[in-house]
Amino acid sequence: MIPSGRIALVDVNNCFVSCERLFRPDLEGKPVVVLSNNDGCVVARSAEVKALGVAMGAPWFKFKHLARQHDIVALSSNFPLYADMSNRIMSLLAQFSPHQEIYSIDECFLDFSGLHPDLTRYAQEMRQRVLQWLGLPVCVGIASTKTLAKLANHIAKKQAHWHNVCDLTVLEPAARDDLLTGISVAEVWGVGRQLTQALNTIGIHSVKDLRDADPARIRQRFSVMLERTVQELRGISCLALDEIASPRQQIISSRSFGRTIHRMEELEAAVTLYVSRAAEKLRQQHSVAGAIQVYIRTNPHQSGEPQYSPSFIVPLTDATDDTLQLNAAAIIGLKRLFHPGYAYAKAGVTLMELAPKHQAAMNLFTDVAATTRRTTLMQTLDAVNRKYGKNMLGTGIAGIAARQAWSVKLGNRSPNYTTRWGELAVVHAS
Protein backbone atom coordinates (compact mmCIF):
# COMPACT_ATOMS: atom_id res chain seq x y z
CA MET A 1 0.00 0.00 0.00
CA ILE A 2 1.38 3.43 -0.96
CA PRO A 3 1.23 5.90 1.97
CA SER A 4 -0.41 9.30 1.52
CA GLY A 5 0.20 12.65 3.23
CA ARG A 6 4.01 12.47 3.29
CA ILE A 7 6.35 15.49 3.31
CA ALA A 8 10.14 15.24 2.93
CA LEU A 9 12.63 17.89 4.02
CA VAL A 10 15.94 17.63 2.18
CA ASP A 11 18.95 19.73 3.05
CA VAL A 12 22.65 19.80 2.27
CA ASN A 13 24.94 18.93 5.16
CA ASN A 14 27.13 21.91 6.09
CA CYS A 15 26.22 23.39 2.70
CA PHE A 16 28.85 26.10 2.21
CA VAL A 17 31.65 23.90 3.53
CA SER A 18 30.47 20.99 1.36
CA CYS A 19 30.50 23.24 -1.74
CA GLU A 20 34.08 24.30 -0.96
CA ARG A 21 35.21 20.71 -0.36
CA LEU A 22 33.66 19.62 -3.65
CA PHE A 23 36.33 21.59 -5.53
CA ARG A 24 39.03 21.23 -2.83
CA PRO A 25 39.16 17.51 -1.95
CA ASP A 26 42.22 18.24 0.17
CA LEU A 27 39.86 19.86 2.70
CA GLU A 28 38.09 16.56 3.45
CA GLY A 29 38.55 15.63 7.10
CA LYS A 30 40.07 19.01 7.97
CA PRO A 31 38.38 21.62 10.18
CA VAL A 32 36.88 24.28 7.86
CA VAL A 33 34.82 27.43 8.46
CA VAL A 34 33.21 29.82 5.99
CA LEU A 35 33.01 33.45 7.10
CA SER A 36 30.51 36.23 6.46
CA ASN A 37 31.15 39.46 4.56
CA ASN A 38 34.44 41.11 5.56
CA ASP A 39 35.40 37.77 7.13
CA GLY A 40 33.57 38.83 10.28
CA CYS A 41 31.52 35.91 11.61
CA VAL A 42 31.25 32.15 11.16
CA VAL A 43 28.38 31.27 8.80
CA ALA A 44 29.23 27.61 8.14
CA ARG A 45 31.28 24.98 9.99
CA SER A 46 32.51 21.52 9.26
CA ALA A 47 31.77 18.77 11.77
CA GLU A 48 35.38 19.01 12.99
CA VAL A 49 34.91 22.70 13.86
CA LYS A 50 31.58 22.05 15.56
CA ALA A 51 33.34 19.53 17.76
CA LEU A 52 35.76 22.27 18.84
CA GLY A 53 32.84 24.33 20.15
CA VAL A 54 32.78 27.13 17.57
CA ALA A 55 29.21 28.44 17.39
CA MET A 56 27.34 29.68 14.33
CA GLY A 57 27.52 33.46 14.08
CA ALA A 58 30.55 33.66 16.37
CA PRO A 59 32.95 36.58 15.69
CA TRP A 60 35.94 34.97 14.01
CA PHE A 61 38.56 37.16 15.67
CA LYS A 62 37.76 35.45 18.98
CA PHE A 63 38.86 32.09 17.58
CA LYS A 64 42.11 33.00 15.88
CA HIS A 65 44.09 31.22 18.61
CA LEU A 66 41.96 28.10 18.17
CA ALA A 67 42.50 28.28 14.41
CA ARG A 68 46.27 28.30 14.84
CA GLN A 69 46.12 25.49 17.40
CA HIS A 70 43.98 23.16 15.24
CA ASP A 71 44.94 24.36 11.72
CA ILE A 72 41.38 25.48 10.98
CA VAL A 73 40.98 26.56 7.35
CA ALA A 74 38.98 29.82 7.18
CA LEU A 75 37.45 30.76 3.82
CA SER A 76 35.67 33.92 2.73
CA SER A 77 32.10 33.28 1.60
CA ASN A 78 31.64 32.62 -2.13
CA PHE A 79 27.93 33.18 -2.72
CA PRO A 80 28.05 32.91 -6.54
CA LEU A 81 29.35 29.35 -6.09
CA TYR A 82 26.79 28.44 -3.40
CA ALA A 83 23.90 29.91 -5.42
CA ASP A 84 24.91 28.01 -8.55
CA MET A 85 25.22 24.71 -6.67
CA SER A 86 21.85 25.41 -5.01
CA ASN A 87 20.18 25.87 -8.40
CA ARG A 88 21.65 22.58 -9.58
CA ILE A 89 20.56 20.57 -6.54
CA MET A 90 17.04 22.06 -6.49
CA SER A 91 16.60 21.15 -10.16
CA LEU A 92 17.74 17.61 -9.45
CA LEU A 93 15.51 17.20 -6.37
CA ALA A 94 12.51 18.44 -8.34
CA GLN A 95 12.76 15.27 -10.41
CA PHE A 96 11.76 13.23 -7.35
CA SER A 97 8.43 14.97 -6.64
CA PRO A 98 5.77 16.84 -8.60
CA HIS A 99 5.55 19.42 -5.79
CA GLN A 100 8.57 21.26 -4.37
CA GLU A 101 8.92 24.21 -2.01
CA ILE A 102 12.40 25.73 -1.97
CA TYR A 103 12.75 26.92 1.61
CA SER A 104 16.30 28.27 1.57
CA ILE A 105 19.53 28.07 -0.40
CA ASP A 106 20.27 24.59 0.94
CA GLU A 107 16.91 22.99 1.80
CA CYS A 108 13.54 22.24 0.25
CA PHE A 109 10.32 20.41 1.01
CA LEU A 110 9.12 17.70 -1.36
CA ASP A 111 5.64 16.19 -1.41
CA PHE A 112 6.13 12.42 -1.32
CA SER A 113 2.40 11.67 -0.95
CA GLY A 114 1.45 8.51 -2.83
CA LEU A 115 4.79 8.22 -4.60
CA HIS A 116 6.42 5.00 -3.41
CA PRO A 117 5.58 2.11 -1.06
CA ASP A 118 9.02 2.35 0.61
CA LEU A 119 9.86 6.03 1.09
CA THR A 120 13.09 5.28 2.98
CA ARG A 121 14.45 3.41 -0.03
CA TYR A 122 13.18 6.13 -2.37
CA ALA A 123 14.92 8.81 -0.28
CA GLN A 124 18.15 6.80 -0.20
CA GLU A 125 18.05 6.57 -4.00
CA MET A 126 17.60 10.34 -4.10
CA ARG A 127 20.57 10.86 -1.76
CA GLN A 128 22.78 8.66 -3.90
CA ARG A 129 21.74 10.49 -7.08
CA VAL A 130 22.61 13.87 -5.52
CA LEU A 131 25.94 12.52 -4.24
CA GLN A 132 26.83 10.91 -7.57
CA TRP A 133 25.77 13.78 -9.84
CA LEU A 134 26.71 16.80 -7.69
CA GLY A 135 29.04 15.47 -5.01
CA LEU A 136 27.02 16.99 -2.15
CA PRO A 137 25.84 15.04 0.95
CA VAL A 138 22.21 15.52 1.99
CA CYS A 139 19.95 14.30 4.80
CA VAL A 140 16.24 13.56 4.43
CA GLY A 141 13.45 13.74 7.00
CA ILE A 142 10.03 12.30 6.17
CA ALA A 143 6.81 12.85 8.12
CA SER A 144 3.16 13.75 7.75
CA THR A 145 3.64 17.51 8.33
CA LYS A 146 6.32 20.11 7.58
CA THR A 147 7.17 20.64 11.25
CA LEU A 148 7.63 16.90 11.80
CA ALA A 149 9.66 16.63 8.56
CA LYS A 150 12.07 19.30 9.88
CA LEU A 151 12.37 17.36 13.11
CA ALA A 152 12.92 14.10 11.21
CA ASN A 153 15.70 15.77 9.24
CA HIS A 154 17.36 16.81 12.50
CA ILE A 155 17.15 13.21 13.71
CA ALA A 156 18.62 11.92 10.43
CA LYS A 157 21.62 14.21 10.96
CA LYS A 158 22.21 13.53 14.64
CA GLN A 159 21.49 9.80 14.96
CA ALA A 160 23.81 7.73 12.80
CA HIS A 161 21.72 4.53 12.82
CA TRP A 162 19.15 6.23 10.55
CA HIS A 163 21.79 6.41 7.79
CA ASN A 164 20.84 9.99 6.87
CA VAL A 165 17.16 9.24 6.19
CA CYS A 166 14.55 9.33 8.97
CA ASP A 167 10.94 8.40 8.20
CA LEU A 168 8.85 9.07 11.30
CA THR A 169 5.75 7.64 9.65
CA VAL A 170 7.03 4.06 9.87
CA LEU A 171 7.48 4.15 13.66
CA GLU A 172 5.02 2.56 16.04
CA PRO A 173 3.43 5.09 18.47
CA ALA A 174 5.45 3.85 21.46
CA ALA A 175 8.74 4.06 19.58
CA ARG A 176 7.87 7.55 18.33
CA ASP A 177 7.07 8.65 21.89
CA ASP A 178 10.43 7.37 23.12
CA LEU A 179 12.21 9.20 20.32
CA LEU A 180 10.44 12.53 20.92
CA THR A 181 10.98 12.28 24.68
CA GLY A 182 14.73 12.29 24.14
CA ILE A 183 14.81 15.45 22.01
CA SER A 184 14.82 18.95 23.51
CA VAL A 185 11.90 21.20 22.64
CA ALA A 186 14.53 23.69 21.41
CA GLU A 187 14.91 21.54 18.28
CA VAL A 188 11.33 22.17 17.14
CA TRP A 189 11.03 24.41 14.07
CA GLY A 190 10.25 27.97 15.20
CA VAL A 191 11.10 27.45 18.87
CA GLY A 192 14.00 29.76 19.70
CA ARG A 193 16.07 30.22 22.82
CA GLN A 194 13.73 32.60 24.64
CA LEU A 195 10.66 30.53 23.83
CA THR A 196 12.46 27.41 25.01
CA GLN A 197 13.15 29.06 28.35
CA ALA A 198 9.53 30.14 28.65
CA LEU A 199 8.29 26.62 27.84
CA ASN A 200 10.70 25.12 30.35
CA THR A 201 9.17 27.26 33.11
CA ILE A 202 5.80 25.51 32.61
CA GLY A 203 7.33 22.04 32.51
CA ILE A 204 7.70 21.59 28.74
CA HIS A 205 11.21 20.31 28.09
CA SER A 206 10.97 17.72 25.31
CA VAL A 207 9.29 17.56 21.90
CA LYS A 208 6.82 15.06 23.33
CA ASP A 209 5.97 17.49 26.16
CA LEU A 210 5.05 20.16 23.62
CA ARG A 211 3.13 17.75 21.40
CA ASP A 212 1.02 16.61 24.35
CA ALA A 213 0.40 20.13 25.71
CA ASP A 214 -3.12 21.58 25.69
CA PRO A 215 -3.36 23.59 22.41
CA ALA A 216 -5.83 26.07 23.91
CA ARG A 217 -3.49 26.75 26.83
CA ILE A 218 -0.54 27.16 24.46
CA ARG A 219 -2.50 29.63 22.36
CA GLN A 220 -3.63 31.60 25.37
CA ARG A 221 -0.17 31.76 26.94
CA PHE A 222 1.98 32.11 23.80
CA SER A 223 0.57 32.49 20.28
CA VAL A 224 -1.56 31.04 17.52
CA MET A 225 1.63 30.05 15.69
CA LEU A 226 2.80 27.88 18.58
CA GLU A 227 -0.65 26.30 18.81
CA ARG A 228 -0.27 25.35 15.12
CA THR A 229 3.13 23.88 15.91
CA VAL A 230 1.49 21.66 18.55
CA GLN A 231 -1.05 20.50 15.98
CA GLU A 232 1.70 19.83 13.42
CA LEU A 233 3.60 17.73 15.99
CA ARG A 234 0.41 15.70 16.37
CA GLY A 235 0.39 15.04 12.61
CA ILE A 236 -2.32 17.57 11.79
CA SER A 237 -1.11 19.64 8.85
CA CYS A 238 -1.44 23.41 9.38
CA LEU A 239 1.33 24.55 6.99
CA ALA A 240 0.69 23.92 3.31
CA LEU A 241 3.41 23.32 0.76
CA ASP A 242 4.08 26.70 -0.83
CA GLU A 243 5.23 25.91 -4.38
CA ILE A 244 5.47 29.51 -5.53
CA ALA A 245 7.51 31.88 -3.38
CA SER A 246 5.55 34.97 -2.38
CA PRO A 247 6.97 38.26 -3.64
CA ARG A 248 9.06 40.00 -1.02
CA GLN A 249 7.42 42.90 0.81
CA GLN A 250 10.65 44.85 0.87
CA ILE A 251 14.07 44.50 -0.69
CA ILE A 252 17.22 45.36 1.24
CA SER A 253 20.70 45.83 -0.18
CA SER A 254 23.49 46.74 2.21
CA ARG A 255 27.07 45.90 3.03
CA SER A 256 29.71 46.72 5.61
CA PHE A 257 32.71 48.37 4.00
CA GLY A 258 36.11 46.75 3.81
CA ARG A 259 37.47 49.92 5.47
CA THR A 260 35.77 52.98 6.92
CA ILE A 261 35.10 55.84 4.55
CA HIS A 262 34.70 59.55 5.22
CA ARG A 263 33.80 61.28 1.96
CA MET A 264 30.38 61.88 0.40
CA GLU A 265 31.65 60.74 -3.01
CA GLU A 266 32.50 57.28 -1.68
CA LEU A 267 29.18 56.93 0.15
CA GLU A 268 27.36 58.00 -3.01
CA ALA A 269 29.20 55.35 -5.01
CA ALA A 270 28.30 52.64 -2.50
CA VAL A 271 24.63 53.63 -2.34
CA THR A 272 24.43 53.75 -6.15
CA LEU A 273 25.77 50.20 -6.30
CA TYR A 274 23.29 48.95 -3.68
CA VAL A 275 20.35 50.65 -5.44
CA SER A 276 21.32 48.92 -8.70
CA ARG A 277 21.33 45.50 -7.02
CA ALA A 278 18.03 46.12 -5.24
CA ALA A 279 16.35 47.47 -8.40
CA GLU A 280 17.38 44.40 -10.38
CA LYS A 281 15.76 42.15 -7.75
CA LEU A 282 12.68 44.37 -7.84
CA ARG A 283 12.32 43.86 -11.59
CA GLN A 284 12.91 40.12 -11.24
CA GLN A 285 9.76 39.81 -9.13
CA HIS A 286 7.83 42.21 -11.44
CA SER A 287 7.22 44.78 -8.71
CA VAL A 288 7.55 48.52 -8.28
CA ALA A 289 8.58 50.47 -5.17
CA GLY A 290 6.68 53.40 -3.69
CA ALA A 291 9.48 54.58 -1.39
CA ILE A 292 13.16 54.05 -0.69
CA GLN A 293 14.94 54.19 2.65
CA VAL A 294 18.63 55.06 2.89
CA TYR A 295 20.81 54.57 5.93
CA ILE A 296 24.46 54.97 6.87
CA ARG A 297 26.25 53.65 9.94
CA THR A 298 29.43 54.18 11.88
CA ASN A 299 30.97 51.17 13.62
CA PRO A 300 29.26 50.75 17.03
CA HIS A 301 32.08 48.48 18.21
CA GLN A 302 34.67 51.24 17.85
CA SER A 303 34.53 52.69 21.34
CA GLY A 304 35.85 56.20 21.56
CA GLU A 305 34.81 57.05 17.99
CA PRO A 306 31.85 59.42 17.45
CA GLN A 307 28.75 57.43 16.55
CA TYR A 308 26.14 58.35 13.94
CA SER A 309 23.50 56.01 12.48
CA PRO A 310 20.71 57.93 10.73
CA SER A 311 18.17 56.80 8.13
CA PHE A 312 15.79 58.63 5.83
CA ILE A 313 12.78 57.53 3.76
CA VAL A 314 12.18 59.18 0.40
CA PRO A 315 8.63 58.71 -0.96
CA LEU A 316 8.30 58.44 -4.72
CA THR A 317 5.71 60.40 -6.68
CA ASP A 318 5.08 57.39 -8.90
CA ALA A 319 5.96 53.85 -7.90
CA THR A 320 8.78 52.62 -10.13
CA ASP A 321 11.32 49.89 -10.88
CA ASP A 322 13.61 52.28 -12.77
CA THR A 323 17.16 52.18 -11.42
CA LEU A 324 17.83 55.80 -12.39
CA GLN A 325 14.74 57.14 -10.62
CA LEU A 326 15.36 55.03 -7.52
CA ASN A 327 18.98 56.11 -7.39
CA ALA A 328 18.10 59.79 -7.75
CA ALA A 329 15.75 59.45 -4.77
CA ALA A 330 18.36 57.57 -2.75
CA ILE A 331 20.99 60.25 -3.34
CA ILE A 332 18.54 62.92 -2.17
CA GLY A 333 18.14 60.95 1.05
CA LEU A 334 21.87 60.40 1.41
CA LYS A 335 22.59 64.12 1.10
CA ARG A 336 20.13 64.75 3.92
CA LEU A 337 21.96 62.25 6.11
CA PHE A 338 25.62 62.88 5.42
CA HIS A 339 27.71 64.80 7.91
CA PRO A 340 31.50 65.06 7.65
CA GLY A 341 33.68 64.02 10.55
CA TYR A 342 32.41 60.48 10.95
CA ALA A 343 34.04 57.19 9.95
CA TYR A 344 31.27 55.37 8.08
CA ALA A 345 31.39 51.57 8.21
CA LYS A 346 28.16 50.57 6.44
CA ALA A 347 25.44 51.86 4.13
CA GLY A 348 22.27 50.38 2.74
CA VAL A 349 18.97 50.94 0.98
CA THR A 350 15.52 49.40 1.45
CA LEU A 351 12.90 49.42 -1.29
CA MET A 352 9.50 49.79 0.39
CA GLU A 353 5.78 49.85 -0.40
CA LEU A 354 6.23 47.19 -3.06
CA ALA A 355 3.34 46.41 -5.39
CA PRO A 356 2.86 44.37 -8.55
CA LYS A 357 4.02 46.34 -11.57
CA HIS A 358 0.82 45.70 -13.51
CA GLN A 359 -1.12 47.46 -10.75
CA ALA A 360 1.05 50.61 -10.84
CA ALA A 361 -1.08 53.65 -11.63
CA MET A 362 -0.04 56.43 -14.01
CA ASN A 363 -1.06 60.06 -13.56
CA LEU A 364 -2.18 62.60 -16.15
CA PHE A 365 1.36 63.87 -16.61
CA THR A 366 3.02 60.52 -17.20
CA ASP A 367 5.02 60.48 -20.44
CA VAL A 368 4.02 57.05 -21.72
CA ALA A 369 6.56 57.05 -24.57
CA ALA A 370 9.44 57.96 -22.22
CA THR A 371 8.30 55.34 -19.68
CA THR A 372 8.31 52.69 -22.41
CA ARG A 373 11.84 53.66 -23.48
CA ARG A 374 13.09 53.45 -19.89
CA THR A 375 11.45 50.06 -19.43
CA THR A 376 13.30 48.83 -22.52
CA LEU A 377 16.54 50.30 -21.15
CA MET A 378 16.11 48.46 -17.83
CA GLN A 379 15.30 45.21 -19.61
CA THR A 380 18.46 45.59 -21.69
CA LEU A 381 20.49 46.36 -18.57
CA ASP A 382 19.27 43.20 -16.86
CA ALA A 383 19.76 41.06 -19.97
CA VAL A 384 23.39 42.20 -20.35
CA ASN A 385 24.16 41.52 -16.68
CA ARG A 386 22.53 38.08 -16.81
CA LYS A 387 24.57 37.15 -19.86
CA TYR A 388 27.94 38.70 -19.02
CA GLY A 389 27.97 38.81 -15.23
CA LYS A 390 26.88 40.98 -12.30
CA ASN A 391 27.71 44.71 -12.57
CA MET A 392 28.87 44.35 -16.19
CA LEU A 393 26.55 47.25 -17.08
CA GLY A 394 25.07 49.74 -14.66
CA THR A 395 24.65 53.34 -13.66
CA GLY A 396 27.67 55.25 -12.39
CA ILE A 397 29.91 53.19 -10.13
CA ALA A 398 27.51 50.24 -10.47
CA GLY A 399 28.73 49.81 -14.04
CA ILE A 400 32.37 49.51 -13.01
CA ALA A 401 33.25 45.89 -12.41
CA ALA A 402 36.58 46.67 -10.69
CA ARG A 403 36.57 46.42 -6.91
CA GLN A 404 36.56 49.66 -4.95
CA ALA A 405 38.84 50.42 -2.03
CA TRP A 406 35.84 50.22 0.32
CA SER A 407 34.50 46.98 -1.15
CA VAL A 408 33.81 44.00 1.09
CA LYS A 409 36.91 42.06 2.18
CA LEU A 410 37.14 38.67 0.52
CA GLY A 411 40.67 37.90 1.46
CA ASN A 412 40.42 34.12 1.20
CA ARG A 413 37.61 33.46 -1.25
CA SER A 414 37.71 30.40 -3.47
CA PRO A 415 37.47 30.81 -7.28
CA ASN A 416 34.12 30.93 -9.06
CA TYR A 417 34.51 27.34 -10.16
CA THR A 418 31.19 27.09 -11.99
CA THR A 419 30.27 30.63 -13.05
CA ARG A 420 33.37 32.16 -14.69
CA TRP A 421 35.16 30.70 -17.68
CA GLY A 422 38.56 31.84 -16.45
CA GLU A 423 38.09 30.16 -13.06
CA LEU A 424 36.63 26.81 -14.09
CA ALA A 425 38.04 23.85 -12.23
CA VAL A 426 40.59 21.89 -14.27
CA VAL A 427 40.80 18.11 -13.98
CA HIS A 428 43.91 16.16 -14.99
CA ALA A 429 43.55 12.47 -15.89
CA SER A 430 46.53 10.14 -15.98
Side-chain angles (χ1 to χ4, degrees), residues 201-212:
T201 61
I202 59 172
I204 295 177
H205 298 277
S206 70
V207 178
K208 181 177 179 298
D209 291 338
L210 182 58
R211 185 200 66 182
D212 295 342

Side-chain angles (χ1 to χ4, degrees), residues 278-357:
E280 187 173 347
K281 293 177 182 175
L282 184 70
R283 291 190 289 273
Q284 284 176 355
Q285 70 172 41
H286 307 291
S287 297
V288 291
I292 183 168
Q293 181 191 44
V294 189
Y295 66 87
I296 49 181
R297 300 275 188 274
T298 53
N299 186 349
H301 303 294
Q302 286 291 336
S303 58
E305 292 282 334
Q307 298 296 317
Y308 180 55
S309 301
S311 64
F312 189 78
I313 297 174
V314 182
L316 300 165
T317 306
D318 295 315
T320 183
D321 62 354
D322 187 312
T323 299
L324 297 174
Q325 292 182 28
L326 291 168
N327 194 53
I331 298 305
I332 290 172
L334 179 62
K335 288 178 177 176
R336 290 281 298 267
L337 300 176
F338 176 75
H339 285 294
Y342 292 100
Y344 295 100
K346 184 176 183 178
V349 299
T350 303
L351 302 184
M352 311 168 75
E353 299 179 18
L354 305 191
K357 184 171 184 177

Side-chain angles (χ1 to χ4, degrees), residues 93-121:
L93 292 174
Q95 297 176 17
F96 287 85
S97 170
H99 306 293
Q100 179 188 41
E101 176 188 333
I102 299 175
Y103 181 66
S104 68
I105 193 170
D106 65 344
E107 61 184 329
C108 74
F109 291 99
L110 298 173
D111 187 353
F112 274 6
S113 301
L115 284 185
H116 199 282
D118 186 347
L119 291 179
T120 297
R121 194 177 76 185

Side-chain angles (χ1 to χ4, degrees), residues 158-344:
K158 300 296 181 184
Q159 300 184 12
H161 67 275
W162 288 95
H163 303 291
N164 302 300
V165 175
C166 173
D167 184 356
L168 289 179
T169 67
V170 300
L171 293 179
E172 295 295 332
R176 196 180 312 151
D177 285 356
D178 287 344
L179 185 62
L180 300 187
T181 299
I183 303 173
S184 167
V185 70
E187 303 300 340
V188 175
W189 190 21
V191 176
R193 186 174 59 182
Q194 290 186 344
L195 185 52
T196 297
Q197 292 172 349
L199 289 168
N200 290 166
T201 61
I202 59 172
I204 295 177
H205 298 277
S206 70
V207 178
K208 181 177 179 298
D209 291 338
L210 182 58
R211 185 200 66 182
D212 295 342
D214 179 2
R217 182 186 177 209
I218 291 293
R219 177 175 183 162
Q220 184 179 28
R221 182 148 186 163
F222 297 97
S223 66
V224 174
M225 287 304 298
L226 192 58
E227 180 197 22
R228 290 177 181 167
T229 298
V230 172
Q231 299 290 8
E232 286 252 320
L233 290 174
R234 295 179 176 191
I236 302 169
S237 179
C238 300
L239 304 172
L241 210 63
D242 188 3
E243 296 176 49
I244 301 175
S246 302
R248 284 173 284 194
Q249 298 304 305
Q250 62 180 20
I251 295 174
I252 301 172
S253 179
S254 66
R255 290 285 187 281
S256 297
F257 304 134
R259 62 162 176 78
T260 55
I261 60 180
H262 300 79
R263 295 187 297 121
M264 176 66 185
E265 292 78 9
E266 291 180 304
L267 277 175
E268 192 170 330
V271 167
T272 298
L273 182 61
Y274 303 155
V275 169
S276 295
R277 291 173 177 170
E280 187 173 347
K281 293 177 182 175
L282 184 70
R283 291 190 289 273
Q284 284 176 355
Q285 70 172 41
H286 307 291
S287 297
V288 291
I292 183 168
Q293 181 191 44
V294 189
Y295 66 87
I296 49 181
R297 300 275 188 274
T298 53
N299 186 349
H301 303 294
Q302 286 291 336
S303 58
E305 292 282 334
Q307 298 296 317
Y308 180 55
S309 301
S311 64
F312 189 78
I313 297 174
V314 182
L316 300 165
T317 306
D318 295 315
T320 183
D321 62 354
D322 187 312
T323 299
L324 297 174
Q325 292 182 28
L326 291 168
N327 194 53
I331 298 305
I332 290 172
L334 179 62
K335 288 178 177 176
R336 290 281 298 267
L337 300 176
F338 176 75
H339 285 294
Y342 292 100
Y344 295 100

